[in-house]
Amino acid sequence: MLVLCSWLNEYLDKKVDIRDDKEVKNLVNILDNLGLVVESVQEVGDDLKGVVLAQVEEINPIEKKDKIRQVFVNAGKSMERIEVVCGAWNFTVGDIVPLATVGTRLPGNFLIEERRLGGVTSNGMLCSKRELGLGEDHSGIDVVFTSLNGQIPADMQLGMSYGEYFGIAKDILLDVAVEPNRPDALCIYGIARDIAPHLGAKLLPLHFDAAPEADRKGQPVSVAIEDDALCDHFSFQVIDNITIAPSTRKIAYRLSLVGMRPINSVVDATNYAMLELGRPSHAYDMDYLSGGDRNQGNDQGVNAQDEVRLVVRLAQEGESLVTLDGNLRSFAGIAEQDPRDLVIAKGDGEILALAGVMGGKASEVTETTSTVVLEIADFDPKVVLRTSRFHQLRSEASLRFERGIDPAITVLVANRIYTLLKESALQYGVSMPRPFAMETVGQNGNQARKSLVISLQNIATILGKTFSRDEIASLLSPVGFEVSQPLDEDKSEVVIPAFRPDVRMGADLAEEIARHFGYENFAKRLPRSRVVGRLKPYQENLRLAKQALIAMGINEAWTNPLVDKNYYPLPKEQLIMLANPLTSEENSLRTSILPGLLGAVKRNASYRNPYLRLFEIGRVFAKSSVKAGSLSAKDKKLRVQDYVSEREELCCVLAFPDDDAKESYKVFEVLLDRLKIDDLSFRLLDLKDLPQEKDFNFMHPSRSKAITLPNLNTMGETLVGTVGEIAPDFLSQFALLGRRVGVLTLDLNGLFSLQKKSLDSKPISIYPSSDIDLCFVADYLVSSRDIRQVLQVAAGEYLESIRLIDSYREENAKVRSLTFRLRLSDANGTLDEKLLGQIWQDCVTSVADSLGVGLRTA
Amino acid sequence: MEENIKTILATLDDIVSKASSAFDAVNDLSELASLESLYLGKKSALSEIKKELSALEVDSKKIVGEKLNVVREVLEQKAREAKELLEAAKLAKQIEEDICDVTEVDIDGVYGHLHLVTQIRQELEDIFLGLGYEIAEGNEIESDWYNFTALNVDFDHPARTMQDSFYLDTGENGSILLRTHTSPVQVHLLERGQFPIYAICPGRVYRRDTADPRHLPVFHQIEGLVVDEGIGFADLRGTVEVSMQAIFGSETRTRLRPGYFPFTEPSAEFDITCVICKGEGCRTCGGQGWIELGGCGLVHPNVLSASNVDTDRYSGFAFGFGIDRLAIMRHNILDIRYLIENDIRFLSQF
């Protein structure tokens, strides 16, 4: 919210000196510390410094020019006869006009210089309102006083500053961020209230003169509220005898500075009152409501016979409204659980305005309006929120209604609007508006006195500091809370002001106390956990796995879990789509990390780094196979896992020059070693033996394996992961064709649940060990792992280690030879030849019997 | 003296002279070995003379014997010296040939790097483990209830417009979404019903923000939750200060300013003294001396009640901040999107 320092000053008995940087800095600090964060500070108002009041003395045509004229003005002492060229025609000799003198920098950084036009020297410029930053009016010079109205007012002296005359001076414009829980701070008066005690100032009470005939009865309008719950009260006041004029220059200037376009006296008055007091209001063109011809204004007041009937109701299906911004809003008739589209309509059905959000185009106040109906209502915050959200129509009014307005200031607001209209009428010398007595319909329940009982003990617990009742009263009463006499030693009643609908419980009051006491004035205390912090087993395993992976030269990546369904290279049946994606490239959730990692390899390759290893550990998602009945979005019992499944996956992509399927398996074996998993705890299956084989078409079928473990419940196999190489045809999608790229994918829960190996130590022998080399010839149905496992058992208790020392395959052969070296030792002595011979025989026999694999014959 | 003894002695002198020059002139160890065998071996002249010693008279035997010993010692000494020289020369040659520049290495690919976000996350986890906190994690897909409702953000709450969320096209519309913060993990902790709670919840979160140099739709957060008897505002201030000092250094100061979150009351934003200028004011902190880091507050009574926590007995505080933001701040990263692009030139910097 944009806030002018001078505007705040109007409500403080001790003013902030706008010209003193220290005071301004102090103000900014106070606001920051109250949670009203100042996002920018800007000096404004200086740009009208060189604009003075001047009287037109002579107007002459310029030869051969029919659009511009030579004008002599008198701008007082030492500037008694200034010659300027002017293109506007809306003034005459004797008028008082604004003269921007040479050297002035007008809003928009427009520098006034001496110029020659049509042979005439222009020593300044006569200004329009737009040129002065007072709105859009550029139809002519801003004639401050016209000689047709007689004598110049006594206080208007030639040569005096235009800004000073109209109350516009150097000012400070602050951009203050107001949090959603501070509806009271969405207006100048509310901010002044919050800062006053911290400036050592008192907040000045609000007082605005009522209209002279405030009891004028017989408004030609009646209002009915259909649903009391959606509109607490609706106050309305007909004002006639209006001649539409601009707002006073000061009001127009202020509105421009805080980002609201000045339009006319009526619209500006409602806007200004909203910014100042926080209460939105709306003015309807009465001439339109009563069905009269808008173009024939009615200067004679309103005829009580054409009474207009207004209804506050929900819009029905098929109805529509063109709002002030020119857009057509269609309504669906939502009236059930979460109603929206509350409207103000005429009795005959025509919708006039979207309640609390925006008025309608048809009934807007125009140049010719002579009578208005002023609406000051209290609409339900939620219905306003839903309406503005649905129609994507956020206005200054809806913002305030959504957060809660002050229901207690209806009359003040009406009087404020009246005083603004009156000032405009005086400044522009037009007819004085005449309001009727305001009427209110509705339950008017929001004004009821609300209070909370606070416990000093409770406040002390929440804040970690004891406050006495008096201390609390001195902090809260300046900002509108009333702390009653104690109910007992501990408890007191606190009356909540109507402008603080956000304060509903003790904690809210504690925040108010803390805010005004100063967050930085509290002590610091470190609470102690009574347990020793340590990673959970899963977290410990995760860190071990990551350490093991980076030790193998694999870099950790983080790819986007949001993927593009249209280009997703894996099966799409399980993809969960986003209901509201931001872009089509990010419209669904990955089922695997692999495409992301391959994309990263491709990207690196395009930057000339084709050889790298990457891994990522992260969530992958899939639609759930069980689909439960639908529960309401708000239902606590809704179980996410009935709709979607989520698990943590580890994925490695190996793309060093020599990487291949075996390197992937090596990474897997190293992980097992680091995680102390028993090598016998899983099975390796061919992908074609998996029921979900088609889901793995990205894996190279003859160079990959599935890692499974028997599932005792289903008697089938549970998939833990896959290890091997990316299929050649799949690689081509990532511009990697012709390379071997290793891949390892593991479900982390599956991996971590594998059987751990025994960590009991085995003795080591001090006697010489012996080696047995065995060279087998096997086809690819038998794996090195199979042979190793048989040897492991067959070699028995003397086995120290088995290593695969050679693997040899003749080109395109269906078999290969595998040479294993078994190292054997005995803790009690040297193994003799006879025993070694026996072990050799046992190993050869076992491998032949269980795997059908024999030794290579020379 | 007998003539033949003179001859023998002369022969021995001759041997010494010849052998000495030979040993002096030897060029390699194999040549040395043959010289040794020639002059000192079993078939050498010295050995022959020694064999003939027994045939001599006692006096002569003594003279020749002593001479033989001297000669042998001299020759052996010569051989040793020659050997030492040759070995030294051989070693010197090997050393010269062995020359190597130890810096002729390329460690590219030898060791990988943890992602910067992981490194910082682990650092943060370790700090809070040191304070006795548990590390709680949860799902990235959550129900509306856990992400909003249970956190006092009810369906019409204005705060829901603050966090634009990704909803899933599954289940009932608006009911399942990608969590917008790690706070749902806190709700699960509260529901567990085991007190006290001292926990941090690090993890990945999603918001409907267009990626730009300062924003990613996917990023990481860490939140802390403490629920215990008698927990108040002072505990929050102390914990924020101690943990920020652990992260940013002991000279760091912290500041709390009033803020707004639906799930805390009172709520605060917390600032730390600028990591670059230490509070003096510089470009990084916009001359303020402070950097806004995260949000915190006392857990809102509605949040505790929604999870059936006995609010008469327990109260708590929570705080949270962005891990990625910390990373870009600490490492002067100009564009947060580097974190997700996985360019090896970036990954291998940390």
Side-chain angles (χ1 to χ4, degrees):
Chain A
M1 170 163 174
L2 293 169
V3 174
L4 280 167
C5 202
S6 65
W7 205 344
L8 288 175
N9 273 341
E10 285 179 16
Y11 294 105
L12 297 170
D13 72 339
K14 191 171 149 250
K15 318 292 180 198
V16 176
D17 185 348
I18 289 162
R19 294 175 188 278
D20 184 341
D21 286 351
K22 266 193 207 150
E23 289 205 15
V24 171
K25 215 167 179 182
N26 180 46
L27 172 67
V28 169
N29 252 333
I30 287 170
L31 286 164
D32 278 347
N33 288 330
L34 286 167
L36 298 166
V37 176
V38 177
E39 296 188 326
S40 71
V41 180
Q42 198 188 334
E43 277 185 23
V44 292
D46 253 4
D47 36 21
L48 297 187
K49 210 163 48 185
V51 182
V52 296
L53 297 181
Q55 186 163 38
V56 179
E57 299 203 318
E58 194 181 321
I59 304 174
N60 303 314
I62 300 175
E63 236 179 281
K64 292 183 194 159
K65 300 280 176 188
D66 52 1
K67 297 228 168 95
I68 53 173
R69 297 184 296 178
Q70 178 191 43
V71 182
F72 287 96
V73 296
N74 178 357
K77 254 182 288 177
S78 80
M79 295 196 292
E80 272 131 3
R81 195 169 163 82
I82 307 271
E83 179 188 30
V84 296
V85 174
C86 185
W89 295 69
N90 67 324
F91 55 92
T92 171
V93 171
D95 285 0
I96 305 287
V97 293
L99 167 72
T101 52
V102 170
T104 302
R105 225 171 251 286
L106 288 176
N109 207 18
F110 176 35
L111 180 67
I112 304 299
E113 291 167 304
E114 189 185 296
R115 290 171 69 189
R116 275 190 73 81
L117 288 159
V120 177
T121 306
S122 189
N123 291 304
M125 187 177 87
L126 306 184
C127 308
S128 72
K129 279 209 165 76
R130 189 166 87 188
E131 284 156 348
L132 294 168
L134 302 179
E136 298 300 302
D137 186 3
H138 194 52
S139 59
I141 298 307
D142 176 23
V143 178
V144 172
F145 182 83
T146 168
S147 51
L148 304 173
N149 289 353
Q151 276 293 322
I152 299 172
D155 63 348
M156 199 181 278
Q157 283 152 18
L158 300 186
M160 81 186 294
S161 153
Y162 172 93
E164 207 173 296
Y165 184 78
F166 290 112
I168 300 165
K170 179 184 163 174
D171 213 334
I172 300 290
L173 182 67
L174 305 169
D175 188 357
V176 177
V178 180
E179 301 282 10
N181 68 329
R182 293 296 309 283
D184 64 300
L186 279 175
C187 65
I188 299 294
Y189 193 68
I191 291 176
R193 182 195 296 122
D194 223 33
I195 60 174
H198 303 276
L199 284 166
K202 280 209 167 59
L203 181 72
L204 297 175
L206 289 172
H207 175 79
F208 305 107
D209 287 335
E213 308 164 76
D215 54 352
R216 188 175 163 214
K217 294 279 191 301
Q219 295 201 103
V221 171
S222 69
V223 178
I225 299 171
E226 276 195 359
D227 186 345
D228 284 331
L230 300 181
C231 178
D232 178 73
H233 68 267
F234 189 104
S235 300
F236 55 102
Q237 181 178 44
V238 173
I239 308 173
D240 62 9
N241 202 36
I242 288 176
T243 306
I244 294 295
S247 296
T248 66
R249 289 162 179 92
K250 176 179 162 184
I251 300 301
Y253 191 71
R254 277 195 175 167
L255 287 173
S256 296
L257 284 179
V258 301
M260 278 201 135
R261 199 162 51 91
I263 295 166
N264 61 46
S265 52
V266 174
V267 174
D268 293 357
T270 58
N271 283 336
Y272 192 88
M274 173 178 69
L275 295 174
E276 186 171 68
L277 306 173
R279 185 82 189 263
S281 56
H282 184 68
Y284 301 85
D285 182 354
M286 181 67 185
D287 306 337
Y288 176 79
L289 300 196
S290 48
D293 186 344
R294 287 168 69 121
N295 296 324
Q296 293 186 357
N298 184 350
D299 291 343
Q300 307 307 310
V302 180
N303 185 338
Q305 278 152 12
D306 0 319
E307 179 177 291
V308 173
R309 222 158 48 79
L310 299 181
V311 188
V312 183
R313 61 168 171 86
L314 289 168
Q316 285 157 21
E317 193 178 349
E319 289 187 306
S320 64
L321 169 71
V322 176
T323 42
L324 273 174
D325 55 8
N327 291 323
L328 178 74
R329 313 286 170 176
S330 301
F331 305 119
I334 306 293
E336 296 286 300
Q337 229 176 355
D338 299 316
R340 58 171 157 83
D341 303 338
L342 187 69
V343 297
I344 289 86
K346 276 171 70 171
D348 65 13
E350 182 190 352
I351 292 179
L352 299 168
L354 257 184
V357 181
M358 195 173 273
K361 189 83 186 159
S363 59
E364 105 181 288
V365 173
T366 67
E367 297 283 298
T368 58
T369 300
S370 62
T371 305
V372 300
V373 182
L374 179 67
E375 158 206 302
I376 307 174
D378 184 356
F379 302 114
D380 174 50
K382 292 187 175 183
V383 78
V384 173
L385 173 79
R386 285 190 289 260
T387 308
S388 79
R389 204 188 272 179
F390 179 81
H391 294 285
Q392 296 185 337
L393 181 58
R394 284 173 69 75
S395 62
E396 292 284 337
S398 73
L399 173 73
R400 285 168 176 80
F401 276 117
E402 283 168 18
R403 296 181 181 185
I405 49 94
D406 181 355
I409 56 169
T410 313
V411 175
L412 268 174
V413 171
N415 289 349
R416 181 53 168 149
I417 289 169
Y418 171 71
T419 58
L420 290 166
L421 290 174
K422 188 176 75 179
E423 283 164 15
S424 158
L426 284 172
Q427 195 165 86
Y428 291 97
V430 297
S431 63
M432 196 56 68
R434 292 168 60 223
F436 281 81
M438 193 164 62
E439 288 175 66
T440 297
V441 293
Q443 293 187 322
N444 216 350
N446 287 351
Q447 283 190 56
R449 182 175 176 279
K450 290 190 187 79
S451 68
L452 283 173
V453 172
I454 55 160
S455 143
L456 298 181
Q457 180 53 49
N458 183 244
I459 298 286
T461 306
I462 295 174
L463 297 179
K465 173 179 164 43
T466 309
F467 287 89
S468 71
R469 194 205 72 93
D470 288 348
E471 284 168 330
I472 291 174
S474 72
L475 290 169
L476 292 187
S477 51
V479 290
F481 296 85
E482 279 173 52
V483 184
S484 75
Q485 286 311 304
L487 300 172
D488 61 31
E489 265 180 26
D490 182 50
K491 293 187 169 56
S492 294
E493 190 186 22
V494 178
V495 180
I496 311 300
F499 51 80
R500 292 306 300 269
D502 58 298
V503 175
R504 297 192 193 97
M505 56 171 69
D508 300 323
L509 274 176
E511 179 173 83
E512 280 306 293
I513 294 166
R515 226 164 46 82
H516 288 286
F517 179 70
Y519 277 18
E520 280 306 294
N521 295 326
F522 286 92
K524 293 174 186 147
R525 186 172 70 194
L526 185 65
R528 292 283 178 187
S529 160
R530 267 86 78 201
V531 298
V532 173
R534 91 163 278 187
L535 294 171
K536 292 171 184 167
Y538 185 94
Q539 295 160 343
E540 226 158 78
N541 282 331
L542 196 69
R543 286 204 188 182
L544 276 175
K546 286 189 175 188
Q547 285 301 334
L549 291 166
I550 62 166
M552 290 181 278
I554 315 177
N555 279 290
E556 187 182 15
W558 154 31
T559 65
N560 196 341
L562 304 176
V563 297
D564 186 342
K565 180 172 185 175
N566 302 324
Y567 295 98
Y568 197 64
L570 301 182
K572 303 180 187 189
E573 299 84 56
Q574 297 299 308
L575 272 186
I576 299 166
M577 297 290 289
L578 296 182
N580 57 340
L582 205 55
T583 68
S584 64
E585 289 90 54
E586 296 177 350
N587 62 10
S588 43
L589 292 172
R590 66 182 178 193
T591 58
S592 163
I593 294 169
L594 183 67
L597 282 187
L598 286 174
V601 173
K602 178 182 175 186
R603 184 195 149 83
N604 276 289
S606 75
Y607 287 101
R608 304 181 59 231
N609 289 310
Y611 302 117
L612 73 163
R613 291 176 157 190
L614 293 175
F615 83 89
E616 179 177 346
I617 291 176
R619 304 297 168 87
V620 294
F621 311 90
K623 283 179 187 160
S624 196
S625 40
V626 277
K627 180 127 185 170
S630 64
L631 284 164
S632 153
K634 294 174 186 173
D635 202 313
K636 179 181 177 175
K637 290 189 282 293
L638 183 137
R639 282 161 26 103
V640 169
Q641 61 267 36
D642 289 344
Y643 299 89
V644 295
S645 72
E646 172 178 345
R647 60 189 180 83
E648 200 141 60
E649 183 181 88
L650 182 165
C651 186
C652 273
V653 165
L654 307 177
F656 279 168
D658 296 329
D659 277 342
D660 62 2
K662 289 184 196 175
E663 286 298 319
S664 310
Y665 189 70
K666 199 192 267 180
V667 169
F668 176 56
E669 281 281 342
V670 169
L671 277 177
L672 296 182
D673 182 75
R674 295 311 302 132
L675 294 167
K676 303 169 184 75
I677 290 169
D678 186 346
D679 203 35
L680 297 173
S681 62
F682 61 92
R683 295 182 62 190
L684 289 179
L685 298 183
D686 279 336
L687 297 174
K688 66 176 164 47
D689 296 332
L690 291 177
Q692 60 272 53
E693 182 201 355
K694 63 172 176 37
D695 291 351
F696 295 97
N697 59 0
F698 59 91
M699 300 286 287
H700 193 305
S702 65
R703 297 176 71 87
S704 303
K705 293 278 180 190
I707 303 158
T708 67
L709 91 169
N711 185 329
L712 297 176
N713 293 329
T714 62
M715 301 305 286
E717 298 282 329
T718 300
L719 190 65
V720 175
T722 51
V723 58
E725 246 172 64
I726 302 287
D729 51 339
F730 197 75
L731 276 181
S732 66
Q733 298 182 42
F734 293 91
L736 296 167
L737 192 61
R739 295 182 56 186
R740 294 209 181 278
V741 174
V743 61
L744 170 66
T745 307
L746 291 166
D747 175 68
L748 278 194
N749 266 318
L751 177 68
F752 296 161
S753 68
L754 292 177
Q755 179 75 45
K756 300 276 175 184
K757 67 183 177 192
S758 162
L759 290 178
D760 283 349
S761 76
K762 277 182 242 128
I764 47 173
S765 171
I766 57 166
Y767 299 101
S769 57
S770 311
D771 287 354
I772 296 176
D773 286 0
L774 294 165
C775 182
F776 297 101
V777 177
D779 65 24
Y780 281 91
L781 289 173
V782 175
S783 73
S784 164
R785 177 178 188 249
D786 297 335
I787 298 174
R788 182 191 289 268
Q789 283 183 2
V790 173
L791 290 175
Q792 192 91 34
V793 177
E797 58 179 315
Y798 299 114
L799 184 67
E800 242 182 49
S801 64
I802 305 178
R803 295 186 57 205
L804 177 68
I805 57 169
D806 188 40
S807 143
Y808 175 73
R809 178 189 180 197
E810 268 180 42
E811 205 175 334
N812 298 329
K814 294 205 161 44
V815 296
R816 80 290 195 204
S817 52
L818 297 165
T819 309
F820 291 91
R821 176 165 294 166
L822 282 62
R823 179 156 291 180
L824 301 143
S825 65
D826 180 0
N828 303 313
T830 312
L831 290 166
D832 63 35
E833 286 301 319
K834 200 181 153 207
L835 184 54
L836 289 172
Q838 185 59 51
I839 292 171
W840 185 92
Q841 190 57 55
D842 289 348
C843 287
V844 172
T845 311
S846 291
V847 171
D849 289 353
S850 47
L851 301 171
V853 167
L855 289 179
R856 189 175 65 171
T857 50
Chain B
M1 202 181 285
E2 288 174 54
E3 196 57 28
N4 77 334
I5 296 198
K6 278 185 185 167
T7 313
I8 291 170
L9 294 179
T11 308
L12 284 172
D13 285 340
D14 191 39
I15 289 170
V16 167
S17 137
K18 274 187 186 158
S20 292
S21 350
F23 280 124
D24 286 346
V26 71
N27 277 323
D28 62 57
L29 284 165
S30 63
E31 200 185 323
L32 177 64
S34 50
L35 284 182
E36 277 180 310
S37 136
L38 178 61
Y39 291 111
L40 294 162
K42 285 180 183 162
K43 287 177 182 167
S44 64
L46 284 187
S47 300
E48 292 303 319
I49 293 169
K50 197 176 178 182
K51 279 179 201 159
E52 292 161 18
L53 214 53
S54 53
L56 297 179
E57 291 169 26
V58 175
D59 287 354
S60 304
K61 194 190 276 180
K62 193 181 173 198
I63 294 166
V64 175
E66 280 172 4
K67 181 74 173 179
L68 258 178
N69 284 340
V70 170
V71 168
R72 177 166 285 273
E73 250 167 58
V74 167
L75 292 189
E76 278 174 355
Q77 175 68 19
K78 276 282 176 192
R80 265 199 306 275
E81 282 169 14
K83 191 174 186 189
E84 275 169 24
L85 278 174
L86 284 174
E87 279 179 342
K90 187 188 173 194
L91 183 62
K93 185 165 177 261
Q94 189 195 344
I95 286 171
E96 195 188 310
E97 286 168 0
D98 273 358
I99 189 167
C100 144
D101 168 9
V102 296
T103 68
E104 286 173 16
V105 295
D106 178 11
I107 62 157
D108 191 42
V110 172
Y111 213 86
H113 302 77
L114 289 180
H115 195 282
L116 180 60
V117 169
T118 299
Q119 293 186 35
I120 294 182
R121 176 174 164 169
Q122 289 186 355
E123 178 189 332
L124 297 171
E125 287 175 352
D126 291 345
I127 284 168
F128 286 100
L129 287 173
L131 285 170
Y133 284 50
E134 77 168 289
I135 301 168
E137 293 171 88
N139 284 337
E140 292 174 11
I141 298 181
E142 269 295 356
S143 69
D144 182 88
W145 169 270
Y146 284 99
N147 195 70
F148 289 127
T149 314
L151 288 158
N152 199 37
V153 188
D154 101 353
F155 194 74
D156 291 319
H157 201 289
R160 284 202 177 181
T161 55
M162 287 162 61
Q163 297 179 342
D164 233 343
S165 324
F166 282 121
Y167 284 91
L168 303 189
D169 185 16
T170 245
E172 183 158 319
N173 270 349
S175 58
I176 298 181
L177 71 159
L178 290 165
R179 65 179 180 191
T180 58
H181 44 198
T182 51
S183 311
V185 181
Q186 300 192 19
V187 180
H188 291 289
L189 279 171
L190 292 172
E191 281 189 342
R192 190 174 69 182
Q194 292 165 13
F195 300 99
I197 296 170
Y198 286 79
I200 51 160
C201 322
R204 184 170 288 178
V205 301
Y206 300 78
R207 292 202 193 155
R208 231 172 139 262
D209 277 333
T210 308
D212 68 25
R214 308 282 301 165
H215 298 91
L216 283 174
V218 186
F219 57 100
H220 302 85
Q221 256 193 351
I222 182 164
E223 290 184 42
L225 173 70
V226 166
V227 177
D228 202 343
E229 291 176 12
I231 291 291
F233 203 70
D235 300 293
L236 170 63
R237 284 198 78 205
T239 302
V240 166
E241 176 129 319
V242 165
S243 53
M244 291 306 123
Q245 285 175 344
I247 298 165
F248 295 101
S250 54
E251 73 286 358
T252 307
R253 280 167 298 127
T254 57
R255 178 175 80 170
L256 263 52
R257 286 180 293 105
Y260 169 71
F261 306 101
F263 23 90
T264 49
E265 187 80 18
S267 300
E269 310 270 357
F270 69 90
D271 301 343
I272 56 165
T273 41
C274 177
V275 288
I276 307 294
C277 66
K278 311 286 174 208
E280 299 289 319
C282 66
R283 260 183 39 204
T284 303
C285 55
Q288 301 293 303
W290 295 94
I291 293 176
E292 190 181 320
L293 194 71
C296 60
L298 298 186
V299 182
H300 199 291
N302 290 355
V303 173
L304 296 175
S305 308
S307 295
N308 299 319
V309 178
D310 177 1
T311 51
D312 288 334
R313 186 163 170 205
Y314 294 109
S315 55
F317 64 77
F319 56 89
F321 55 94
I323 301 177
D324 319 78
R325 260 205 71 212
L326 188 63
I328 62 169
M329 200 171 84
R330 195 188 265 185
H331 297 279
N332 220 353
I333 296 168
L334 298 177
D335 191 328
I336 198 169
R337 290 173 293 190
Y338 287 167
L339 293 176
I340 202 167
E341 282 170 353
N342 302 305
D343 194 309
I344 192 74
R345 295 169 295 178
F346 181 78
L347 295 179
S348 54
Q349 285 179 35
F350 306 101

